[in-house]
């Protein structure tokens, strides 16, 4: 009698079978439309994975009744082509196959796509909604916010596999699950971890720098996820705890250590390479080797709301604006109070004193927190400080900073964070028009840093306007560099409000920034920040004796990453309103001391007509005609002239 082999312990689920259930939803939505939606794809690289994704998109669109146009362009022309597609009314959706420049330029291209045609969900408003766990773009909750295709495809895979518990309320259906995601890219890994954590899971996000934990706190009481750095953790620590393992590491060199996988776990691979070997079937209960077809169906699903709901986008009071207008809702004041509040935020001919907003990241050292507190004390009352942790990465995604800036009407931000790669980091941010203008990342040298509390003696009063001094040729470079950027940002941060007059008694604070020469090994020069209290003492004369006492904080910086303002945006930010500058008066100037200097223009002068002082000795004798009864009027006698007795003038009287 033959014995039957036991059933396989692992079920392999293909992407094609998962995509079929979504295809029905897409086709049902397509049947309600009057025309076939047009999707335009831009391919501007030679990446094989991008080419494969484009081919799959073309094939799936044709199979499901969508129009698709693949446009291969040079990457230098891509910006103009995207802007043209934004204006093209025949185009319903736009997709760009990344990477293009493999730099921040790619993020700029993502923001160029019109929000009404962004089927990938990569524009600022959608990314902000995703991280803040905002699921709708309108107050009536009629239109869902678009999510990035690949992370949403993985969510749909988990829903198909019944990992989501439908008994629990919507938004909490992953509560009780631990998930490991091996990838933390800004395109897939981090958004995926945020989505799963917002749905209630405990997510371990793993990359080469370490492990981060994404959760909504104990008992999922928070409305959005928090991120905690798991110091010293690696795959060996988090994979055995996880009942779902998701991997998407590009490259053939990486092979997931299947011996770490918990027995009965669900394993999903979303990389074009096979991260899991055949032995994964011995440990996992369900294995999904690829998700490409699901991703493309999700892309078409994202396209449907725009085509079917154009009336929604055109008529709702909530309108998504382009990147250049701040991606904010157009708010109409409902009452006089809100109208006054909005009026305060309108552009002014004369700027208000700039307000600084102080923020901290999920991981922030005690030293950085103390220094933020000290700098805040120098800026009061023109400062706002938040102490709550924020999952913000300024140079990767500045959308949260822009949100805080707009919400609090603060054009200057100081963000503190700490990690192994960037220890004791202070990121100085300037905003213009609700968008980040430029940024400067500085690392505090721990050994030389001193806080206010470590200096004895009296401190300056609140609200003092400081004297700013910059020492070092680096700050005066004619070519824009990281030091000229630092000087510009520091001046904006500490200058305070405008003042027409100066009271000597009020000059109590001086802040000095010094920079030497670059080190011999080529490393950039450090920036030294020192704060001094100005003290005036009796000198026995009218002019008092001036002394300075260091009051702290004392900070030495090394320079990290920088983001300079775009030339066009900088030019716009430097514009002045008409009528702000006083009209210059003709021929009147003011010198550096403040004295008025006037210039008088005279016409051509004829010296022959110049009036001089009258003197009898210089007068010429008038030629007078002698009347009949008058003898010679004047007789000149030159007698004795040769003797040096001069000329004798004789007059005869008339008879």
């Amino acid at each position: 009698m033959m014995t039957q082999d036991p059933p396989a312990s692992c079920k392999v689920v293909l992407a094609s079978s998962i995509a079929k259930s979504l295809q029905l939803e897409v086709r049902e939505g397509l049947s309600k439309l009057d025309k076939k939606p047009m999707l335009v794809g831009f391919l501007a690289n030679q990446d094989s994975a991008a080419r494969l994704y484009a081919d799959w998109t073309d094939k799936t669109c044709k199979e499901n009744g969508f129009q698709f146009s693949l446009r291969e362009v040079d990457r230098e022309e891509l910006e103009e082509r995207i802007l043209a597609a934004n204006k093209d009314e025949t185009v319903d959706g736009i997709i760009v196959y990344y990477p293009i420049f493999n730099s921040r330029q790619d993020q700029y291209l993502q923001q160029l796509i019109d929000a009404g045609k962004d089927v990938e969900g990569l524009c600022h408003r959608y990314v902000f909604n995703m991280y803040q766990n905002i699921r709708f773009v309108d107050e009536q909750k009629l239109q869902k916010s678009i999510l990035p295709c690949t992370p949403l495809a993985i969510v749909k895979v988990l829903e198909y596999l019944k990992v989501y518990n439908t008994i629990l309320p919507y938004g909490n259906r992953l509560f009780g699950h631990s998930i490991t995601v091996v990838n933390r890219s800004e395109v897939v890994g981090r958004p995926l971890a945020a989505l799963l954590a917002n749905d209630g899971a405990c997510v371990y996000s793993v990359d080469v720098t370490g492990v981060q934990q994404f959760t909504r706190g104990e008992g999922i009481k928070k409305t959005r996820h928090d991120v905690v750095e798991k110091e010293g953790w690696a795959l060996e620590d988090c994979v055995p705890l996880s009942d779902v393992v998701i991997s998407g590491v590009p490259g053939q060199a990486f092979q997931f250590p299947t011996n770490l996988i918990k027995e009965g776990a669900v394993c999903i691979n979303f990389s074009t390479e096979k991260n899991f070997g055949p032995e994964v079937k011995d440990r996992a209960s369900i294995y999904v080797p690829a998700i490409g077809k699901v991703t493309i169906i999700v892309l078409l699903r994202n396209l449907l709301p725009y085509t079917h709901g154009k009336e929604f986008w055109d008529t709702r009071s909530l309108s998504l604006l382009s990147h250049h207008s701040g991606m904010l809702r157009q708010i109409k004041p409902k009452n006089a109070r809100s109208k006054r509040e909005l009026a305060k935020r309108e552009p002014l001919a004369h700027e208000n004193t700039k307000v600084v907003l102080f923020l901290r990241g999920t991981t922030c050292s005690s030293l950085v927190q103390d220094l933020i507190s000290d700098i805040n004390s120098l800026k009061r009352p023109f400062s706002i400080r938040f102490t709550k942790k924020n999952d913000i990465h300024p140079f990767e995604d500045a959308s949260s900073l822009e949100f805080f800036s707009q919400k609090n009407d603060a054009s200057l931000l100081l963000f503190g964070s700490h990690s192994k790669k960037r220890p004791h980091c202070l990121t100085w941010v300037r905003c213009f028009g609700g968008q980040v203008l430029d940024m400067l990342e500085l690392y505090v040298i721990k050994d030389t840093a001193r806080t206010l509390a470590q200096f004895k003696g009296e401190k300056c009063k609140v609200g003092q306007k400081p004297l700013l001094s910059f020492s070092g040729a680096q700050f005066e470079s004619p070519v824009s560099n990281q030091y000229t950027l630092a000087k510009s940002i520091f001046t904006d941060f500490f200058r305070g409000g405008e003042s027409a007059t100066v009271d000597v008694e009020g000059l109590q604070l001086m802040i000095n920034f010094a920079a030497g020469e670059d080190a011999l090994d080529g490393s950039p020069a450090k920036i030294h920040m020192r704060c001094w209290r100005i003290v005036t003492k009796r000198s026995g004369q009218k002019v008092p004796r001036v002394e300075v006492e260091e009051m702290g904080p004392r900070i030495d910086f090394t320079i990290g990453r920088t983001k300079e303002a775009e030339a066009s945006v900088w030019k716009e930010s430097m514009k002045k309103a008409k009528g702000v500058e006083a009209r210059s008066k003709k021929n009147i100037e003011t010198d550096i001391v403040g004295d008025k200097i006037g210039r008088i223009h005279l016409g051509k002068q004829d010296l022959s007509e110049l009036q001089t002082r009258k003197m009898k000795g210089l007068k010429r004798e008038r030629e007078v005609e002698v009347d009949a009864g008058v003898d010679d009027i004047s007789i000149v006698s030159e007698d004795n002239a040769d003797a040096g007795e001069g000329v004798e003038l004789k007059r005869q009287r008339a008879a």
Side-chain angles (χ1 to χ4, degrees), residues 493-506:
F493 260 77
F494 295 105
R495 63 178 298 188
E498 296 288 342
S499 57
T501 57
V502 178
D503 183 3
V504 178
E505 291 296 326

Side-chain angles (χ1 to χ4, degrees), residues 168-180:
L168 295 177
Y170 175 71
N172 295 340
R173 291 177 177 175
L174 284 180
F175 183 45
H177 287 285
S178 295
I179 302 175
T180 294

